[in-house]
Amino acid sequence: KSPRELKTIMVRIEDLNYLVLMCHKEKRELKGTKVLEYIEWGEKQKFNQRPTCKGRARWWDLGEIRMKIISKRFVDVSYSYFLNFVDFFVGDTFFVIDHSDWENIGIYLNTSLGCFFTEIIGRKNMGEGVLLIYGPEITNILILKSLNKLIHKSNCKRFLTNEKKDIFTELGFDPDNPIREQEPNPLPDRKALDDIVFDALGLT
């Protein structure tokens, strides 16, 4: 429901604050189950008459949307794109990305180059430095053609499961001092991931 729930790039159930019923069956198929009792309890609360629910064929059915990359709508000092390995249902505070090579692209978007492109394409009308990212922007992020040859799970497993930090901490900069007077001192897992892409592009 919120990026604040997510402690790592990889979405993990132990970090999530909410559970939601995911049921795609008709009432007749649920006869004698606790799920039917729960649905009927919801109807007594008139949940089925609320604007969002009453237009559905099954008011309790949230659909079966499964997307592997989750993008925040609002970006501040953390540029994380989250990888949804287990197909957790995603609320509308996010955008979702679908691609056959989702794992490599999701990892790439979390490199410093991916963050850089996000900074370039984001809408800058929110104030206080917050970027707004919508679907049209996301589809314009540049992706390396040779991505599948560059990124392997073994190189970034720790990056996916370590607690995510703000971009200044990740890159080893002090935001209170002029950035051009500083040398980057990235965290080891950040550097290992960036080196894969930087080496391919001839960047230091």
Side-chain angles (χ1 to χ4, degrees), residues 62-81:
L62 295 174
E64 297 189 64
I65 298 173
R66 293 188 175 96
M67 295 294 176
K68 295 296 191 181
I69 306 173
I70 304 173
S71 168
K72 299 186 294 185
R73 286 178 185 260
F74 303 101
V75 178
D76 49 13
V77 293
S78 174
Y79 287 76
S80 305
Y81 289 82

Side-chain angles (χ1 to χ4, degrees), residues 97-133:
I97 302 169
D98 187 26
H99 195 279
S100 58
D101 195 22
W102 65 269
E103 193 168 353
N104 281 324
I105 288 178
I107 293 167
Y108 165 81
L109 289 173
N110 281 289
T111 66
S112 293
L113 190 62
C115 298
F116 179 71
F117 286 137
T118 300
E119 179 74 28
I120 289 174
I121 57 93
R123 302 184 191 189
K124 300 165 180 68
N125 58 352
M126 294 301 295
E128 297 190 12
V130 174
L131 292 177
L132 184 63
I133 303 292

Side-chain angles (χ1 to χ4, degrees), residues 125-191:
N125 58 352
M126 294 301 295
E128 297 190 12
V130 174
L131 292 177
L132 184 63
I133 303 292
Y134 274 99
E137 283 83 36
I138 293 170
T139 57
N140 285 323
I141 295 178
L142 297 177
I143 303 293
L144 300 180
K145 284 185 177 180
S146 57
L147 199 59
N148 60 336
K149 299 176 184 177
L150 300 176
I151 298 178
H152 307 284
K153 283 189 286 187
S154 59
N155 290 328
C156 58
K157 191 172 183 180
R158 285 180 56 192
F159 182 80
L160 293 178
T161 54
N162 280 353
E163 187 167 343
K164 61 187 176 63
K165 312 284 187 187
D166 64 83
I167 195 67
F168 299 107
T169 302
E170 291 262 334
L171 298 180
F173 286 112
D174 181 352
D176 295 323
N177 290 314
I179 202 163
R180 292 184 184 276
E181 296 176 8
Q182 302 178 59
E183 286 292 324
N185 184 26
L187 298 177
D189 294 333
R190 157 67 62 189
K191 185 178 186 305

